[in-house]
Amino acid sequence: MADNDVLLQVNHLSKSFGKLSVLSDISTSFKKNEVVSIIGPSGGGKSTFLRCLNLLETPTAGEILFDGVNLCSPKVNLNVQRQRIGMVFQSFNLFNNMNIMRNLTEAPVSIKKMPKEEAEEKAVALLKRVGLEDKVSAYPSQLSGGQKQRIAIVRSLMMEPELMLFDEPTSALDPEMIGEVLDVMKDLAQSGMTMIVVTHEMRFARNVSGRTIFLAGGRIEEDKPSHELFDNPESPRLVSFLEKVL
C-alpha cells in the first residue's frame, strides 16, 4: 500500500456461513489515528465484518492487511498480530473468578512478559483515567454494566494496541450507563487511538467518528465523512434507516 497512513486495508472481503452469504466483496481501508463508526440494520453483517478484521471469523475470500501483514496468510502468527489489536465486546468477557487487578494484568504479564509491578502500576493509572481506581480489588460481579465495560476497555489498553475494535459496546447497558462508556471512548478518540466502532449510538457516530460506514445486506452502501453521511445520505436504504433511528 503506497499510503503509509493506512493501518488496515480490506480487499474484496466475503464471508459465508454455508450457503448464507453475510459479507459480499467489501473493500475499504482505515488510517492511523482515524475513528470510524459502522452503522446499519441488524443482520446486515456489521459484527461479522468486525470479527473478520482480527480473524475471530475466517473470511471466505479476500484479504486483510494489518500494517502490511496479510492476516489471512497461513504463514502469519495470528497470536502475535492480535496482541496489537484490542477488542471490546458487548458482553464484557471479563474473568469472573479474578479481581479487577488480575483481569487487567493477566495478559500483559503472561503474554507480553511485562514485570508484575509494572503491569500493576499501569493498571492503576488506566483505572484512574476511567474513574475506577477504587475498584482495583473488586470482582466483576460487584460492578455495574457500565463499570464492567470501562474495565473491559482498560483491559484492552493494557496490551498497548495500535487498533481498537468495539463491537456494539453499549448495547447491553442500561440507558443511564451508556454515557459513562461513551465518555471513555471519546477520550480515547481524542488521544489519537485508531478505532473501528460498530454502534447503534448515532450521536457518537456523527460527532466523534471522522468517518461512518453504512453496512447493509453484507455490502458497504455508503462510506464517507460522518457529517456528510448523516446530513446528505444518498442510498435509499440509508435514508430509510436514518428515518427510523434518528
Side-chain angles (χ1 to χ4, degrees):
M1 199 58 205
D3 191 338
N4 292 331
D5 285 338
V6 170
L7 183 61
L8 190 70
Q9 176 74 34
V10 180
N11 296 324
H12 305 292
L13 175 72
S14 295
K15 174 64 181 176
S16 298
F17 295 99
K19 292 184 178 177
L20 177 67
S21 172
V22 180
L23 300 173
S24 239
D25 195 31
I26 289 180
S27 295
T28 187
S29 62
F30 302 92
K31 293 186 174 184
K32 291 171 185 169
N33 311 119
E34 189 176 31
V35 179
V36 180
S37 284
I38 301 174
I39 65 170
S42 294
K46 304 184 300 297
S47 288
T48 300
F49 176 61
L50 200 75
R51 291 171 68 84
C52 282
L53 296 183
N54 65 356
L55 276 284
L56 283 177
E57 295 287 359
T58 306
T60 307
E63 61 179 11
I64 296 162
L65 301 171
F66 176 60
D67 207 14
V69 176
N70 184 4
L71 299 183
C72 301
S73 165
K75 297 175 184 173
V76 167
N77 185 334
L78 262 183
N79 289 330
V80 169
Q81 296 302 322
R82 280 197 186 118
Q83 289 179 37
R84 304 167 64 196
I85 303 173
M87 178 105 184
V88 177
F89 301 88
Q90 52 185 296
S91 55
F92 324 129
N93 288 20
L94 298 175
F95 300 114
N96 290 321
N97 61 331
M98 296 181 186
N99 68 17
I100 297 313
M101 179 59 84
R102 274 210 58 205
N103 261 284
L104 298 181
T105 57
E106 187 73 12
V109 170
S110 60
I111 297 171
K112 289 190 94 172
K113 307 304 178 194
M114 189 184 286
K116 187 165 178 273
E117 295 76 16
E118 184 185 331
E120 290 182 350
E121 277 180 29
K122 186 176 178 64
V124 169
L126 285 169
L127 285 171
K128 280 184 180 169
R129 185 171 165 185
V130 301
L132 292 174
E133 63 268 32
D134 60 330
K135 302 298 183 187
V136 69
S137 302
Y139 282 80
S141 61
Q142 298 170 298
L143 304 180
S144 70
Q147 290 170 333
K148 287 179 191 173
Q149 195 59 291
R150 282 185 279 163
I151 296 293
I153 293 171
V154 168
R155 187 178 57 181
S156 281
L157 293 175
M158 287 291 294
M159 296 296 282
E160 300 175 338
E162 293 157 57
L163 168 66
M164 289 274 284
L165 306 176
F166 294 84
D167 188 8
E168 301 190 12
T170 59
S171 66
L173 301 179
D174 293 332
E176 68 269 20
M177 293 175 185
I178 290 172
E180 63 194 47
V181 173
L182 291 180
D183 284 344
V184 171
M185 292 170 65
K186 286 175 197 167
D187 178 58
L188 267 185
Q190 287 162 359
S191 74
M193 175 63 75
T194 309
M195 297 163 60
I196 304 173
V197 185
V198 170
T199 185
H200 293 297
E201 298 297 326
M202 296 301 137
R203 274 193 300 184
F204 178 89
R206 181 177 193 143
N207 299 325
V208 181
S209 310
R211 195 173 120 220
T212 296
I213 293 172
F214 176 63
L215 192 65
R219 296 177 181 274
I220 291 178
E221 293 262 338
E222 289 201 37
D223 178 353
K224 57 177 66 165
S226 297
H227 280 282
E228 201 178 313
L229 181 138
F230 282 96
D231 291 343
N232 299 299
E234 293 174 35
S235 143
R237 285 177 95 166
L238 176 55
V239 171
S240 168
F241 175 77
L242 292 177
E243 281 173 354
K244 289 171 187 162
V245 298
L246 290 180

